[in-house]
Amino acid sequence: FHTPEQVQPREWVTVDGQPVVWESCQTFSGSWGYHRDEVAWKSPGQLIRMLINTVASGGNLLMNVGPTGTGELDDRVVDALTVYQNWVSRNGEAVYGCTASEFAPPLDCRLTQNGNIVFVHIFAFPFRHLYVDGIGGRLEYAEFLHDASEIPFAVEDSGVVQLQLPVIQPNVEVPVIKLYLKKVFVENRAL
């Protein structure tokens, strides 16, 4: 078990070249305990992207919360926890029970996966199209996770999937697209 602190690994953590179970230990600010004059608080976008990056790299995220001397949570901590609550209430399926995907992520995106469902977390919303390599003929259906609206797609001759997005980013800190993959059968078993 490996526990990097205040570091955001970019891929599955390994020890002696072997992937290990790992958990990233982070703070909402720069301090492990309550510090009244702390000013280095992570933004809502940083908090959400930190969670997604961790899961997309095969890890778990542990967020440290330091109460005040009276045992209460500072308003800034409550605000930060509300960011997670709001995003996870619509997009939790894309992180809970998920891990790193078998596919390579598109530019400015991260992928998480749970069985035949792949989640595309869009860090920088593109203009009209998002291209996903390696999924080709396996893609059955695509939708935004926050509202279940369908996303039209086309499969190019090369096998690259072209997702057709709205021009304007949905009003979500990090939009997530849910990709439903066709089941692959190996020796009469669905995988």
Side-chain angles (χ1 to χ4, degrees), residues 52-72:
I52 294 164
N53 273 326
T54 302
V55 176
S57 298
N60 292 311
L61 179 63
L62 172 69
M63 294 300 297
N64 180 72
V65 178
T68 67
T70 62
E72 297 176 354

Side-chain angles (χ1 to χ4, degrees), residues 2-25:
H2 191 69
T3 56
E5 294 183 355
Q6 298 289 58
V7 174
Q8 185 67 65
R10 298 186 317 161
E11 59 189 18
W12 202 297
V13 174
T14 61
V15 173
D16 297 327
Q18 298 298 313
V20 295
V21 176
W22 69 277
E23 179 173 77
S24 180
C25 304

Side-chain angles (χ1 to χ4, degrees), residues 93-94 98-106 110-121 132-135 138-139 141-143 145 163 176-182:
E93 181 183 354
C98 291
T99 191
S101 177
E102 64 189 272
F103 302 102
R110 302 298 183 274
L111 299 181
T112 57
Q113 188 166 350
N114 189 347
N116 286 325
I117 303 294
V118 175
F119 299 96
V120 182
H121 305 260
V132 185
D133 295 321
I135 293 180
R138 290 190 61 192
L139 183 57
Y141 185 75
E143 67 184 9
L145 188 55
L163 299 170
V176 179
I177 298 172
K178 184 176 182 180
L179 304 178
Y180 295 81
L181 302 184
K182 298 172 187 171

Side-chain angles (χ1 to χ4, degrees), residues 11-153:
E11 59 189 18
W12 202 297
V13 174
T14 61
V15 173
D16 297 327
Q18 298 298 313
V20 295
V21 176
W22 69 277
E23 179 173 77
S24 180
C25 304
Q26 301 283 348
T27 63
F28 287 99
S29 63
S31 175
W32 288 101
Y34 174 70
H35 179 52
R36 182 193 64 226
D37 299 324
E38 179 65 64
V39 294
W41 288 83
K42 293 173 179 78
S43 72
Q46 285 175 307
L47 294 171
I48 298 304
R49 288 189 301 275
M50 186 185 317
L51 172 62
I52 294 164
N53 273 326
T54 302
V55 176
S57 298
N60 292 311
L61 179 63
L62 172 69
M63 294 300 297
N64 180 72
V65 178
T68 67
T70 62
E72 297 176 354
L73 295 179
D74 184 284
D75 288 343
R76 297 169 294 184
V77 172
V78 173
D79 291 344
L81 291 170
T82 301
V83 166
Y84 280 128
Q85 176 187 5
N86 292 340
W87 189 85
V88 168
S89 70
R90 291 181 153 180
N91 298 286
E93 181 183 354
V95 290
Y96 291 127
C98 291
T99 191
S101 177
E102 64 189 272
F103 302 102
L107 182 66
D108 296 324
C109 296
R110 302 298 183 274
L111 299 181
T112 57
Q113 188 166 350
N114 189 347
N116 286 325
I117 303 294
V118 175
F119 299 96
V120 182
H121 305 260
I122 305 173
F123 283 11
F125 202 78
F127 178 72
R128 298 290 295 152
H129 300 104
L130 183 65
Y131 298 91
V132 185
D133 295 321
I135 293 180
R138 290 190 61 192
L139 183 57
E140 199 165 39
Y141 185 75
E143 67 184 9
F144 276 116
L145 188 55
H146 71 278
D147 68 359
S149 61
E150 182 176 2
I151 297 176
F153 67 90

